[in-house]
Structures are given as structure tokens and as C-alpha cells.
Amino acid sequence: MPFEAYKLYQEYEPDKYKTSTQKKAEGVLKEADEMKRAQGKETISGIEFQEARELLGEDLIGPEEIEKTWGVRPEDVPEIPFSREELERAKEMGQMLVLRVEKTEDGKPMSLEVMIDIIQKRWNKEGKGKLLYTDDEYKNWKERTGADFSQKAPRAGWTLVSRELLPQSTSKNYAQQTELMVAYLKDTVFKDMEIPEEYEEAFQEWEQAKQTDKNIQELLRNPDNPKYDWQQAAKELAELKITQLTRQSIQETIYDLALYYDKNGERLLPNVYTWSNSRSPEGELVDLGEFDAEGVDAGRWAPSRRVDDLGVLLSRRL
Amino acid sequence: MKAKGENAVIAHLDSLKVDPELREFSETTLAEYDERIKELASNPDVLKSYRDRFETLKGTLAKVLSFEHLQKELNAAESTEQKLRLFYEQYGRSPGPIERKKMEGLANRVAKIKEELKGFELDEATIDMLRRREIRGTQRDLAHYSFAETETRAELIREVLPDLMQGAPVLFQGETGSGKTQLAKYISQKYLSKEPAVISVSEQIKESQILGARGLEAGETIFKYSEFVKAQKEGRPVILDEVNLMPHEFAGILHDLLQKRVGDVWTHPTTGEQIPITAPIMATANLKSERYKQRYELDVATLRRFIGGAGAREIHYLDIGKKDKGGGYIAPETLKVLGAVLADRNGNIEWDEADAPKKQDELKRFVAACRKIQEDFTLSIREGGEETLARTDRLAFRELVITLKDQIEIMKAWKASGFREPLQEIILREFFRKAEISGRAAKDRENMVRVFIANKFFKDTKPEDFKIQGLAAQSLRQWQGKE
């Protein structure tokens, strides 16, 4: 019995020809899927999601994980805004894909308070340690960071988050970290790819700021002894588009760390800190990290500080 | 001879060295066959069985033809609709009522064909025949045009063809051996039904090769047109191979021609003859490494004229960059072409059932190795510097690559051996030993050996078998995992 030549490649053309039976079966599956969607039992079944799941494995944290950790099944799961190529590259760079939701099951904001309420009791039972590091309930944590515990929630949507600090991002001030982040995005993340419009704008804004903003210029040119208005600089740096697009807020850091640990049993940032885009009431920029059994620690620094265990995680959104 | 009697017949057969007994045997055997056919033909069950078989085949073929017809019509309608849309976008003009109606008609037709295709009853037998016909189509293309119109190439042709038919020029840029010139020839022969004039451009090209030159004929001075001009006069497409090497002093002539379209007239700069334009100019350019960029890059003014025509398109090796869901490299189009080379006219490859998995594995490893070489070569060309490559698992290829043509030749030789020889022997004989390589290119060949070894070939091959000057036995043993 000879070998049919088309068998060499037909596996790569699964959709080219289909028998009537296959078409019918697909139609039935599609209908069933739509019915599930309508009933709200299943909210995502797109091929992209399945592909992303196959590609990223444990580094995809989607609706199922959210339901398991936060007890909320998102009503409308947004489409993954990243291409397959971007996800492949993200995987190579050690990033995870996280779906963030901003509301709880009963419609409250997914605030720090709520996250602690939902998770801490269960973690205590399971012997998984604490979420936030504090010796006096959450008072110290609140005082140190000035974080909004009751209202502010993560920004909803799919985000690519690096599991480790950006290479060479420690011992750098906030502006130097931003400069490094821009270079990393241009040279590595978007290398040979089309740069999304919002990132193009963010890069332009950063270039503009470097040329016109005295505080930023001082932080970049004279990092050992910058003469600058630190509060003004912190505000400007935190509000930059690039900061908002690529750094986590306090709430987002906690959300991501909790989910990843809950799913994979691994605590990220075990002995380093990431500098967030959130500011304390006095104006410093908040950093979070050293996540161990006693919980995530947090601190705050003026933007000129350079600390050897303080770097930045890339948290890329679109 | 009949009149001369039996002896004459025997004498004749003797002279032909045909054994009369054999003749007798053949005749009796044939007579038996005739008898058998008569018997069978009078058996109504046999006749019915044959009739049913042919009716089924006829039915399947009819389905296949209707399906192919619909597919072709869909492609044509979609591409025309897209082209019209692009045209109006490009010139920022809204279509008028007649044009709108035309576009609406096309859109409706596209929707209708899609619906028809969706409801088309395809069964296993029809799909089998469709796939075999695809293989046969590729075989025909390879035999007639030395080119295979795979999906990506077909897509590209669909995009450029309407402009080419208007006489707009096109530029195909790509790595060496990616099939640019063959593509241009193919378009010309198959779609424009004209034999093209292929002009190999070099830095030394003379004006006479472009425009023509004065000469003497029967004592009279005449102007002899070049192949280039002759083709223009005869309405044949011109292929300017490696147009990036064209000296700048001819830019004026080239630019003038590249702006012409069907219906325009080109005035020959020397003779003043008015030559009506009826065919396009197609050009190719090799993508060169950063090192040679300055020297070989096409000037912007020329490039702009192509972009304003049917475009400056990049042609890469088949399947470059394609990956499966798990991120592994795949080469469906290459396998399709090579499958057609290996198959007979019915679309079958003469591998017996027991051997087929092993052979298939050999073939896929071969294609994977070639893919890797092409990927790394492409990257070397694009990125140039060695430092960049040193950071990854990629190998630097500076001059040599294994092209689809090389792969086809290897497959042909494998098939000719009746698949009895292991594929690696064929690769050695048809590729590595075909030319003894020395100098800078030897390093490329060494890297190719490494890639093949990584794909489980040449585990025990000796250094001298590769015919690569300077290939160290120790290095080879290391790659083979023996040291």
C-alpha cells in the first residue's frame, strides 16, 4: 500500500477541507458553546485563549485561577490583546499572563481589604502564610505606604508580568529604571515587531521629558547628587505614560503575587523589591517585595534613591 | 509476407531474433485473455460493478471540479473587491454610483460563494481526490515552470497581478535562492502568457545591453536593439535580475521606464522610436548583509517607483517563521513541494507500509535541518555581526545556504534510488560532495554539518566524506557526541 504524499503536511491544514460530518460536529459544538456563554457558565473559549493556555501553561493566570483564588468568575473575559508572537517572546523572557479583575463577586472593588478578607482565612487554614507583612494588623503597612485599602482596585484586563526583576534594574533611581525600561521595551520586547501606538506615544513623551524636564534630567545626569524637587519629580515620573503602562500599582502587585503563589506555590520577589507606580501620601514612590511566609513587605522612597535590592518588574498592558 | 508462406515468416522472425515458441506462447496467452475478457464482459455482475465504480469516480470528480471552481471564483472575486477598495483608499476618492454597484455586486457574490462553500458536501473520497489533484498541480508547475505555487506565493501573486496587468513594475527582494527570479518568470509565463526577457544586471552592464548599439548590416549602419528593448517592443515582460547592481548612470532610463503603464508610449532615447508599453518590468534584488548594504542597496528614487507600481515585495524562504501551537518550527509548504517531488502522478510515494514511518521521520528531520539553516542564514544576512549571533544558539552563515532547489534535487535522487539508500547518503552525495568547498564558505558548510548532526544525521560519518577543506576530525567527533 503506497503512502499518500498529502499525509506529509495535511496535519498543518486542519481547516482546509472538512467532511460534512466534521462541519456538523463543529456547528453543534459552536452552538453548545454559545449556549454556555449565554448562561454565563463559560465566558471564554476562543482559540486564542486555548492557544495561550497551551503555550504558557502555569504562567497563564486566567478566569479559572481567579475563581479559585478570589471566588469571582468574570462575566466578560476580554480577548487576549497580545499576538501569539508576543506571547512566545514573553514566555522566553520569563513573563506570565495575568487577567486582572477590578470587582468582587458582589460587585465591590477588588481592594486590598477585600483581597485580604478573601484570602487570608483560607491561607491560614492551609498553612500558606500571610499575604501582607505586618506585626500589628495592617496598620504599619498602611502607615508605611499610605495605600488605599478600601477603594482602589487593580486595573482590569490582561497583563504580561515578568516573574523576576528586569535585568540590571537594581541600584538605579526611578528615572534610570524608566530609561532602562524604555530601552528594554524597544530592544527586546518589541524587537522586529510593530510597536503599539500607546507605547510609541509613551516613548515620545519620555524623550520629551528627558529634554525638557529639569528634575528628570538631574536624576539621569547627576544620580549621585541630584539637585531636584523630589516630590515634583515623583509626581511627574509616576504620571508618565510609560510608568502607567509598565509598572504595577500597589494593588496590582499584591493581586499578581497572591494569584501566582496560590496557583503555583511559588512566592515571587522572595528577597527583592519592585518599585511601583503608586505614591504615598507624602509623595514618595512605594516599593513592594520580600514576599515570604510573613507576607509581602512594602516601603517607600524618594525617586533618587538607589538600593541594591530594589528593581522593577515589567507589567505590560495594552 | 503472407503470400510468401510460413517459411518466410519464420525467416523474418529469425532475423528479428524472436523465438517462435515465445511468439506462440504470447499468442495463446493473449487469446486466453481475450476469452476471459469476453466472459467477464458477458457477466452482468462484473459489468455492474465496473459501472458503479466509474459512476462513483465520475461523481467524485464532478464534486471536486465544482469545489475547485468555486474556490477559484472566490479568490478572484475577493481579490478584485480588495483591489478596488484599496484603489479608492489610496486616492482618497469615493466610488461613484456605478462603481459602488460593482463593488456591492462583488461583495454579494463573495458572500454567496462562501455560503455555497460552507454547505458543500465534502466526503472522504472527494477530499482525497482534491488533495491528490493539488499534488499533481504542484508536479505540473515544477515540471513546466520550475516553480511551485504554494499558498503564500499564490497570495502574493493575487496581490500583484492586477497591477502588473496594467504594466506597473514590481520588485521582488529576498535572500539568495528564495525563488525571486523563478517567481517573476512564473508570473510572466503562467499569468501573463508571455516568455519574459531576463536581463542579468551587473555593475559592468553597458548601455548597449540596455538600449542597444549601432552596428553594420549589409554595409549599412543600423541600430540593433538590445534584448531589453526588443522585449518591450514585442510586449514581453522584462525581468531585471539583481537590479540593485544597476550603475547610477542608467537610473534616468530606468526611472523613465518604471513610470510607464500599459497604453503609454516610451521614446527610445537614441533612435527616437515610439514604443507602446504593453508589458510590465519585474525586478529582483538580493537582500544583502549590513556589511554590503551601502554598496548594494537600491537607491530610494528607484525603490519609490516600484512602491508606486505593483510594490516592492520581500520573498523569503518558504515557511520561514512558521511555528505550530507548541512553538515548534513547521514547514508545511516545503513538505508539500517535496511531497510532490517524491510522489508519482497519482500522488502516492512508493514507501511500503512498514517503512513509511521511518522514511517520513527521515524526511521531516531533513526539512527541519534545512529550515534551521535557512532561518540562521536569513538572520545572519539581516543582523550581520557575529556578536549578535554568539548570544543565541544560532549559527552564522555568511555565503552558503541550502535552497528549496537543493532540497528538490536531493529528493529526486532519493526517489530515483527507489528509497533504498538512506537519505543521509543522498544528502552527502548530492549536496556535500557535489562541490569541494574551501575558504570562508567552508565555515558555512561546517555549520550545515552541525545542523544536520543535531537533526540525527551523520552520526558516524567521517570528516573526509563531507569534502570540506579544513574540517577537523576532533570538531566533528564533538558534534557527533563522541568526545
Side-chain angles (χ1 to χ4, degrees):
Chain A
M1 181 101 167
F3 181 86
E4 293 95 333
Y6 62 74
K7 286 193 176 155
L8 289 171
Y9 57 84
Q10 69 173 358
E11 65 180 294
Y12 306 119
E13 301 177 334
D15 299 324
K16 188 155 186 180
Y17 303 116
K18 282 183 179 159
T19 61
S20 316
T21 324
Q22 283 170 326
K23 281 184 197 167
K24 271 179 208 156
E26 274 173 15
V28 171
L29 283 174
K30 203 176 159 196
E31 248 173 59
D33 193 41
E34 273 162 14
M35 274 171 70
K36 271 187 188 174
R37 274 167 182 265
Q39 290 166 2
K41 285 182 183 167
E42 187 67 55
T43 50
I44 187 160
S45 65
I47 183 82
E48 291 94 342
F49 178 78
Q50 287 310 332
E51 269 188 48
R53 170 75 79 201
E54 280 165 30
L55 182 70
L56 298 173
E58 65 185 23
D59 290 326
L60 187 146
I61 298 175
E64 285 165 27
E65 288 80 9
I66 288 171
E67 190 171 21
K68 221 172 135 193
T69 299
W70 306 124
V72 50
R73 186 79 185 175
E75 273 175 28
D76 294 310
V77 177
E79 276 183 23
I80 297 172
F82 305 104
S83 67
R84 181 177 176 86
E85 200 185 350
E86 284 177 295
L87 292 188
E88 279 167 357
R89 189 168 289 179
K91 189 183 176 184
E92 279 169 25
M93 291 187 296
Q95 294 170 7
M96 56 180 175
L97 180 64
V98 185
L99 176 63
R100 293 189 188 136
V101 291
E102 53 188 356
K103 292 265 168 32
T104 62
E105 186 69 11
D106 47 9
K108 284 187 197 159
M110 184 66 79
S111 63
L112 287 172
E113 210 166 66
V114 166
M115 284 193 252
I116 294 163
D117 274 354
I118 295 172
I119 230 172
Q120 197 58 67
K121 265 188 200 160
R122 180 166 60 81
W123 278 16
N124 288 344
K125 251 194 225 166
E126 294 171 4
K128 284 175 109 169
K130 293 185 80 172
L131 179 60
L132 299 192
Y133 170 69
T134 171
D135 45 9
D136 181 13
E137 279 304 299
Y138 297 105
K139 200 172 156 227
N140 293 348
W141 218 92
K142 271 188 196 176
E143 275 174 5
R144 266 181 282 140
T145 60
D148 177 338
F149 262 58
S150 59
Q151 290 302 316
K152 211 160 178 209
R155 291 165 292 181
W158 290 100
T159 308
L160 282 167
V161 184
S162 58
R163 293 194 306 271
E164 289 179 6
L165 295 180
L166 217 60
Q168 275 117 44
S169 65
T170 54
S171 302
K172 284 195 165 53
N173 68 37
Y174 204 89
Q176 289 174 313
Q177 280 188 355
T178 308
E179 178 75 337
L180 179 82
M181 179 76 84
V182 169
Y184 185 72
L185 287 163
K186 282 183 181 169
D187 301 342
T188 311
V189 175
F190 296 129
K191 187 169 186 256
D192 299 329
M193 278 186 193
E194 199 179 327
I195 300 176
E197 210 175 309
E198 49 270 66
Y199 280 82
E200 282 281 17
E201 284 171 13
F203 295 157
Q204 277 170 18
E205 185 195 45
W206 173 242
E207 289 308 317
Q208 182 77 17
K210 280 192 325 190
Q211 283 174 20
T212 56
D213 190 306
K214 292 270 183 309
N215 289 322
I216 290 173
Q217 284 175 348
E218 193 66 11
L219 283 168
L220 290 174
R221 288 177 196 161
N222 190 17
D224 292 330
N225 186 24
K227 292 183 177 47
Y228 77 120
D229 177 343
W230 73 266
Q231 278 167 316
Q232 180 63 22
K235 183 174 182 296
E236 285 163 2
L237 284 163
E239 286 172 359
L240 280 170
K241 280 182 188 153
I242 193 69
T243 305
Q244 292 302 317
L245 282 169
T246 58
R247 291 191 195 239
Q248 296 156 305
S249 67
I250 296 175
Q251 290 74 12
E252 286 164 356
T253 313
I254 299 300
Y255 178 100
D256 297 346
L257 290 176
L259 265 173
Y260 193 81
Y261 173 52
D262 218 23
K263 182 187 179 190
N264 298 317
E266 185 192 344
R267 290 188 183 92
L268 301 177
L269 301 180
N271 42 31
V272 286
Y273 289 81
T274 179
W275 221 342
S276 74
N277 65 21
S278 303
R279 281 188 304 141
S280 72
E282 287 78 30
E284 295 107 330
L285 293 152
V286 176
D287 63 324
L288 305 108
E290 284 229 352
F291 184 21
D292 55 21
E294 291 182 75
V296 183
D297 190 19
R300 54 189 184 176
W301 300 104
S304 58
R305 282 306 292 261
R306 290 179 292 157
V307 188
D308 60 5
D309 63 357
L310 173 58
V312 62
L313 286 182
L314 167 64
S315 156
R316 182 156 82 84
R317 23 185 303 117
L318 278 174
Chain B
M1 209 184 293
K2 201 176 169 185
K4 287 181 188 168
E6 196 179 337
N7 285 342
V9 174
I10 290 170
H12 179 70
L13 286 172
D14 275 348
S15 72
L16 290 172
K17 306 251 183 271
V18 177
D19 182 349
E21 273 181 31
L22 179 65
R23 181 193 62 139
E24 200 178 316
F25 164 79
S26 309
E27 280 182 357
T28 50
T29 314
L30 287 174
E32 277 168 24
Y33 283 166
D34 281 345
E35 201 54 36
R36 183 83 187 121
I37 290 165
K38 260 187 210 164
E39 260 178 55
L40 286 171
S42 59
N43 182 336
D45 289 344
V46 173
L47 278 181
K48 185 179 177 307
S49 159
Y50 271 91
R51 194 179 306 120
D52 289 351
R53 167 100 179 108
F54 282 110
E55 284 299 327
T56 313
L57 273 177
K58 223 170 78 184
T60 308
L61 185 62
K63 261 192 207 173
V64 163
L65 293 177
S66 324
F67 186 82
E68 285 178 344
H69 179 79
L70 280 174
Q71 280 281 9
K72 276 183 193 159
E73 199 186 335
L74 178 66
N75 288 343
E78 274 185 332
S79 120
T80 316
E81 193 203 355
Q82 189 192 7
K83 206 79 218 174
L84 276 173
R85 214 180 290 280
L86 279 175
F87 173 82
Y88 292 117
E89 272 170 28
Q90 193 179 345
Y91 295 101
R93 175 170 93 73
S94 311
I98 297 173
E99 295 152 332
R100 266 207 302 276
K101 210 170 165 190
K102 199 184 275 180
M103 284 171 74
E104 221 176 87
L106 276 169
N108 289 341
R109 185 66 196 137
V110 166
K112 201 164 168 237
I113 304 172
K114 278 187 177 166
E115 207 48 46
E116 274 183 62
L117 280 169
K118 220 166 126 189
F120 207 97
E121 294 280 322
L122 283 177
D123 50 34
E124 296 287 352
T126 316
I127 294 175
D128 180 77
M129 195 182 279
L130 277 165
R131 288 203 176 274
R132 284 173 194 273
R133 283 171 63 84
E134 269 181 6
I135 297 268
R136 189 73 194 121
T138 307
Q139 288 173 335
R140 283 206 189 99
D141 278 353
L142 285 171
H144 294 159
Y145 309 106
S146 304
F147 185 85
E149 191 182 320
T150 58
E151 272 80 359
T152 47
R153 301 298 193 238
E155 181 66 36
L156 179 70
I157 294 170
R158 263 205 302 278
E159 282 171 21
V160 298
L161 197 58
D163 285 330
L164 286 175
M165 290 169 109
Q166 297 298 316
V170 72
L171 171 69
F172 296 129
Q173 299 181 96
E175 293 82 17
T176 176
S178 54
K180 306 172 291 289
T181 315
Q182 279 314 117
L183 171 67
K185 280 188 193 168
Y186 178 76
I187 294 176
S188 180
Q189 290 166 334
K190 183 157 179 178
Y191 289 96
L192 305 176
S193 309
K194 296 274 168 62
E195 196 53 43
V198 183
I199 316 287
S200 292
V201 179
S202 73
E203 286 160 312
Q204 286 78 38
I205 196 166
K206 297 188 180 77
E207 190 179 301
S208 58
Q209 288 168 275
I210 300 171
L211 295 175
R214 285 182 203 288
L216 278 174
E217 200 174 275
E220 276 189 35
T221 305
I222 53 143
F223 194 88
K224 276 190 177 170
Y225 283 131
S226 63
E227 276 305 304
F228 183 99
V229 178
K230 273 191 218 161
Q232 293 283 313
K233 279 168 70 87
E234 290 160 11
R236 291 187 290 128
V238 172
I239 299 172
L240 293 173
D241 214 8
E242 299 222 38
V243 70
N244 47 320
L245 298 180
M246 179 80 85
H248 287 299
E249 63 253 42
F250 302 127
I253 303 170
L254 186 64
H255 292 176
D256 187 23
L257 269 163
L258 292 178
Q259 289 183 129
K260 303 288 181 201
R261 299 290 183 268
V262 168
D264 291 345
V265 172
W266 176 59
T267 309
H268 191 281
T270 315
T271 63
E273 186 179 351
Q274 304 267 303
I275 300 169
I277 298 294
T278 51
I281 290 177
M282 293 188 256
T284 72
N286 269 342
L287 282 177
K288 297 283 180 185
S289 68
E290 288 296 318
R291 203 147 47 102
Y292 293 115
K293 222 172 173 181
Q294 215 52 25
R295 189 168 153 219
Y296 288 106
E297 205 166 57
L298 202 60
D299 68 278
V300 180
T302 311
L303 194 63
R304 247 185 28 229
R305 280 162 176 85
F306 283 111
I307 294 169
R313 312 286 178 141
E314 288 205 1
I315 313 287
H316 301 294
Y317 300 116
L318 283 185
D319 302 313
I320 286 287
K322 277 186 200 161
K323 289 179 183 175
D324 62 16
K325 285 181 182 172
Y329 287 112
I330 54 167
E333 295 198 354
T334 309
L335 281 170
K336 192 176 270 189
V337 177
L338 300 188
V341 175
L342 294 173
D344 59 21
R345 51 180 292 123
N346 297 314
N348 293 320
I349 303 178
E350 288 303 320
W351 291 340
D352 59 47
E353 222 166 336
D355 262 1
K358 199 176 145 229
K359 303 270 187 234
Q360 203 177 341
D361 174 61
E362 265 183 294
L363 175 64
K364 288 201 171 176
R365 282 189 285 113
F366 168 72
V367 171
C370 298
R371 264 292 306 273
K372 165 84 177 148
I373 292 166
Q374 292 179 342
E375 294 266 356
D376 287 1
F377 179 80
T378 306
L379 198 88
S380 305
I381 292 293
R382 283 182 199 164
E383 296 193 354
E386 217 157 345
E387 302 99 48
T388 325
L389 299 171
R391 286 209 304 268
T392 66
D393 66 341
R394 292 191 172 106
L395 297 166
F397 290 93
R398 313 209 160 274
E399 309 199 346
L400 296 179
V401 67
I402 186 160
T403 63
L404 182 64
K405 194 167 174 277
D406 296 324
Q407 294 174 63
I408 289 175
E409 291 309 316
I410 291 168
M411 290 300 108
K412 279 183 184 168
W414 197 26
K415 185 181 175 186
S417 81
F419 304 107
R420 279 183 290 274
E421 280 185 77
L423 182 53
Q424 71 168 22
E425 288 307 314
I426 310 278
I427 301 169
L428 269 181
R429 197 177 65 224
E430 295 296 320
F431 188 71
F432 284 101
R433 291 188 203 142
K434 272 257 161 101
E436 187 149 352
I437 300 292
S438 59
R440 266 158 52 97
K443 189 78 199 154
D444 287 359
R445 277 285 166 108
E446 283 186 14
N447 282 339
M448 285 185 191
V449 171
R450 287 175 71 176
V451 175
F452 276 107
I453 291 174
N455 283 282
K456 299 185 200 161
F457 288 100
F458 309 135
K459 283 286 174 205
D460 297 305
T461 311
K462 294 187 173 58
E464 58 271 23
D465 291 339
F466 291 106
K467 295 230 170 189
I468 301 172
Q469 277 192 11
L471 173 59
Q474 196 189 356
S475 310
L476 183 64
R477 279 201 302 278
Q478 271 174 2
W479 302 335
Q480 289 170 330
K482 292 179 178 169
E483 272 188 20

mmCIF file of all heavy atoms in Angstrom, chain B residues 451-469:
data_model
loop_
_atom_site.group_PDB
_atom_site.id
_atom_site.type_symbol
_atom_site.label_atom_id
_atom_site.label_comp_id
_atom_site.label_asym_id
_atom_site.label_seq_id
_atom_site.Cartn_x
_atom_site.Cartn_y
_atom_site.Cartn_z
ATOM 1 N N VAL B 451 24.250 21.350 11.925
ATOM 2 C CA VAL B 451 22.782 21.357 11.961
ATOM 3 C C VAL B 451 22.240 19.963 11.613
ATOM 4 O O VAL B 451 21.323 19.464 12.273
ATOM 5 C CB VAL B 451 22.210 22.420 10.990
ATOM 6 C CG1 VAL B 451 20.698 22.338 10.936
ATOM 7 C CG2 VAL B 451 22.639 23.808 11.403
ATOM 8 N N PHE B 452 22.815 19.342 10.600
ATOM 9 C CA PHE B 452 22.343 18.003 10.218
ATOM 10 C C PHE B 452 22.590 17.004 11.356
ATOM 11 O O PHE B 452 21.738 16.166 11.635
ATOM 12 C CB PHE B 452 23.010 17.539 8.915
ATOM 13 C CG PHE B 452 22.305 18.051 7.692
ATOM 14 C CD1 PHE B 452 22.836 19.053 6.912
ATOM 15 C CD2 PHE B 452 21.058 17.529 7.338
ATOM 16 C CE1 PHE B 452 22.165 19.537 5.797
ATOM 17 C CE2 PHE B 452 20.374 17.994 6.218
ATOM 18 C CZ PHE B 452 20.930 19.003 5.444
ATOM 19 N N ILE B 453 23.744 17.119 12.007
ATOM 20 C CA ILE B 453 24.026 16.199 13.121
ATOM 21 C C ILE B 453 23.001 16.424 14.241
ATOM 22 O O ILE B 453 22.493 15.467 14.827
ATOM 23 C CB ILE B 453 25.472 16.380 13.632
ATOM 24 C CG1 ILE B 453 26.458 15.872 12.572
ATOM 25 C CG2 ILE B 453 25.682 15.627 14.943
ATOM 26 C CD1 ILE B 453 27.925 16.106 12.877
ATOM 27 N N ALA B 454 22.692 17.694 14.485
ATOM 28 C CA ALA B 454 21.689 17.986 15.530
ATOM 29 C C ALA B 454 20.330 17.393 15.165
ATOM 30 O O ALA B 454 19.489 17.160 16.034
ATOM 31 C CB ALA B 454 21.568 19.491 15.717
ATOM 32 N N ASN B 455 20.116 17.134 13.878
ATOM 33 C CA ASN B 455 18.867 16.523 13.440
ATOM 34 C C ASN B 455 19.047 15.025 13.142
ATOM 35 O O ASN B 455 18.366 14.461 12.283
ATOM 36 C CB ASN B 455 18.309 17.256 12.211
ATOM 37 C CG ASN B 455 17.647 18.564 12.605
ATOM 38 O OD1 ASN B 455 16.521 18.570 13.093
ATOM 39 N ND2 ASN B 455 18.358 19.656 12.450
ATOM 40 N N LYS B 456 19.974 14.449 13.845
ATOM 41 C CA LYS B 456 20.204 12.997 13.838
ATOM 42 C C LYS B 456 20.668 12.432 12.498
ATOM 43 O O LYS B 456 20.341 11.296 12.162
ATOM 44 C CB LYS B 456 18.944 12.253 14.301
ATOM 45 C CG LYS B 456 18.515 12.600 15.702
ATOM 46 C CD LYS B 456 17.363 11.705 16.060
ATOM 47 C CE LYS B 456 16.552 12.265 17.196
ATOM 48 N NZ LYS B 456 15.241 11.707 17.297
ATOM 49 N N PHE B 457 21.401 13.224 11.731
ATOM 50 C CA PHE B 457 22.054 12.689 10.543
ATOM 51 C C PHE B 457 23.561 12.600 10.831
ATOM 52 O O PHE B 457 24.050 13.236 11.769
ATOM 53 C CB PHE B 457 21.842 13.623 9.337
ATOM 54 C CG PHE B 457 20.441 13.605 8.794
ATOM 55 C CD1 PHE B 457 19.536 14.611 9.122
ATOM 56 C CD2 PHE B 457 20.015 12.580 7.956
ATOM 57 C CE1 PHE B 457 18.244 14.608 8.617
ATOM 58 C CE2 PHE B 457 18.721 12.584 7.444
ATOM 59 C CZ PHE B 457 17.830 13.585 7.782
ATOM 60 N N PHE B 458 24.267 11.834 10.014
ATOM 61 C CA PHE B 458 25.733 11.788 10.021
ATOM 62 C C PHE B 458 26.354 11.459 11.377
ATOM 63 O O PHE B 458 27.373 12.009 11.748
ATOM 64 C CB PHE B 458 26.314 13.137 9.526
ATOM 65 C CG PHE B 458 25.749 13.608 8.226
ATOM 66 C CD1 PHE B 458 25.351 14.936 8.043
ATOM 67 C CD2 PHE B 458 25.607 12.730 7.158
ATOM 68 C CE1 PHE B 458 24.829 15.375 6.845
ATOM 69 C CE2 PHE B 458 25.086 13.169 5.945
ATOM 70 C CZ PHE B 458 24.690 14.488 5.800
ATOM 71 N N LYS B 459 25.738 10.558 12.109
ATOM 72 C CA LYS B 459 26.262 10.229 13.441
ATOM 73 C C LYS B 459 27.626 9.552 13.356
ATOM 74 O O LYS B 459 28.430 9.669 14.262
ATOM 75 C CB LYS B 459 25.264 9.321 14.191
ATOM 76 C CG LYS B 459 24.074 10.092 14.733
ATOM 77 C CD LYS B 459 24.472 10.921 15.954
ATOM 78 C CE LYS B 459 23.319 11.804 16.396
ATOM 79 N NZ LYS B 459 23.738 12.983 17.133
ATOM 80 N N ASP B 460 27.857 8.796 12.248
ATOM 81 C CA ASP B 460 29.131 8.082 12.141
ATOM 82 C C ASP B 460 29.916 8.456 10.892
ATOM 83 O O ASP B 460 30.835 7.748 10.502
ATOM 84 C CB ASP B 460 28.859 6.560 12.129
ATOM 85 C CG ASP B 460 28.223 6.124 13.428
ATOM 86 O OD1 ASP B 460 28.822 6.419 14.481
ATOM 87 O OD2 ASP B 460 27.120 5.537 13.396
ATOM 88 N N THR B 461 29.526 9.549 10.266
ATOM 89 C CA THR B 461 30.193 9.925 9.009
ATOM 90 C C THR B 461 31.595 10.478 9.307
ATOM 91 O O THR B 461 31.789 11.178 10.304
ATOM 92 C CB THR B 461 29.339 10.969 8.256
ATOM 93 O OG1 THR B 461 28.000 10.477 8.209
ATOM 94 C CG2 THR B 461 29.846 11.214 6.869
ATOM 95 N N LYS B 462 32.533 10.160 8.431
ATOM 96 C CA LYS B 462 33.918 10.605 8.653
ATOM 97 C C LYS B 462 34.129 11.986 8.024
ATOM 98 O O LYS B 462 33.458 12.335 7.045
ATOM 99 C CB LYS B 462 34.871 9.590 8.037
ATOM 100 C CG LYS B 462 34.801 8.253 8.740
ATOM 101 C CD LYS B 462 35.867 7.315 8.240
ATOM 102 C CE LYS B 462 35.885 6.047 9.062
ATOM 103 N NZ LYS B 462 34.602 5.324 9.077
ATOM 104 N N PRO B 463 35.119 12.728 8.528
ATOM 105 C CA PRO B 463 35.313 14.113 8.031
ATOM 106 C C PRO B 463 35.548 14.171 6.528
ATOM 107 O O PRO B 463 35.013 15.057 5.861
ATOM 108 C CB PRO B 463 36.537 14.615 8.805
ATOM 109 C CG PRO B 463 36.948 13.539 9.727
ATOM 110 C CD PRO B 463 36.018 12.399 9.633
ATOM 111 N N GLU B 464 36.325 13.207 5.999
ATOM 112 C CA GLU B 464 36.655 13.296 4.572
ATOM 113 C C GLU B 464 35.427 13.114 3.673
ATOM 114 O O GLU B 464 35.417 13.522 2.517
ATOM 115 C CB GLU B 464 37.755 12.282 4.190
ATOM 116 C CG GLU B 464 37.414 10.821 4.492
ATOM 117 C CD GLU B 464 37.835 10.381 5.895
ATOM 118 O OE1 GLU B 464 37.983 11.270 6.764
ATOM 119 O OE2 GLU B 464 38.000 9.172 6.113
ATOM 120 N N ASP B 465 34.369 12.508 4.227
ATOM 121 C CA ASP B 465 33.163 12.286 3.421
ATOM 122 C C ASP B 465 32.418 13.576 3.078
ATOM 123 O O ASP B 465 31.571 13.592 2.195
ATOM 124 C CB ASP B 465 32.206 11.340 4.155
ATOM 125 C CG ASP B 465 32.760 9.936 4.218
ATOM 126 O OD1 ASP B 465 33.632 9.627 3.387
ATOM 127 O OD2 ASP B 465 32.345 9.164 5.093
ATOM 128 N N PHE B 466 32.712 14.642 3.821
ATOM 129 C CA PHE B 466 31.973 15.885 3.584
ATOM 130 C C PHE B 466 32.631 16.775 2.525
ATOM 131 O O PHE B 466 32.003 17.719 2.047
ATOM 132 C CB PHE B 466 31.846 16.686 4.892
ATOM 133 C CG PHE B 466 30.945 16.029 5.890
ATOM 134 C CD1 PHE B 466 31.462 15.394 7.007
ATOM 135 C CD2 PHE B 466 29.570 16.044 5.728
ATOM 136 C CE1 PHE B 466 30.637 14.792 7.927
ATOM 137 C CE2 PHE B 466 28.734 15.443 6.649
ATOM 138 C CZ PHE B 466 29.265 14.804 7.756
ATOM 139 N N LYS B 467 33.877 16.486 2.225
ATOM 140 C CA LYS B 467 34.625 17.307 1.250
ATOM 141 C C LYS B 467 34.642 18.782 1.661
ATOM 142 O O LYS B 467 34.314 19.674 0.852
ATOM 143 C CB LYS B 467 34.038 17.171 -0.153
ATOM 144 C CG LYS B 467 34.170 15.803 -0.734
ATOM 145 C CD LYS B 467 34.753 15.855 -2.097
ATOM 146 C CE LYS B 467 35.098 14.466 -2.566
ATOM 147 N NZ LYS B 467 35.824 14.377 -3.745
ATOM 148 N N ILE B 468 34.936 19.010 2.907
ATOM 149 C CA ILE B 468 35.052 20.403 3.361
ATOM 150 C C ILE B 468 36.504 20.594 3.786
ATOM 151 O O ILE B 468 36.966 19.912 4.711
ATOM 152 C CB ILE B 468 34.128 20.690 4.563
ATOM 153 C CG1 ILE B 468 32.670 20.423 4.194
ATOM 154 C CG2 ILE B 468 34.310 22.115 5.063
ATOM 155 C CD1 ILE B 468 31.705 20.488 5.357
ATOM 156 N N GLN B 469 37.181 21.498 3.133
ATOM 157 C CA GLN B 469 38.587 21.702 3.483
ATOM 158 C C GLN B 469 38.692 22.277 4.880
ATOM 159 O O GLN B 469 38.009 23.227 5.227
ATOM 160 C CB GLN B 469 39.231 22.656 2.485
ATOM 161 C CG GLN B 469 39.664 21.918 1.238
ATOM 162 C CD GLN B 469 40.552 22.778 0.371
ATOM 163 O OE1 GLN B 469 41.013 23.831 0.779
ATOM 164 N NE2 GLN B 469 40.785 22.328 -0.841
#
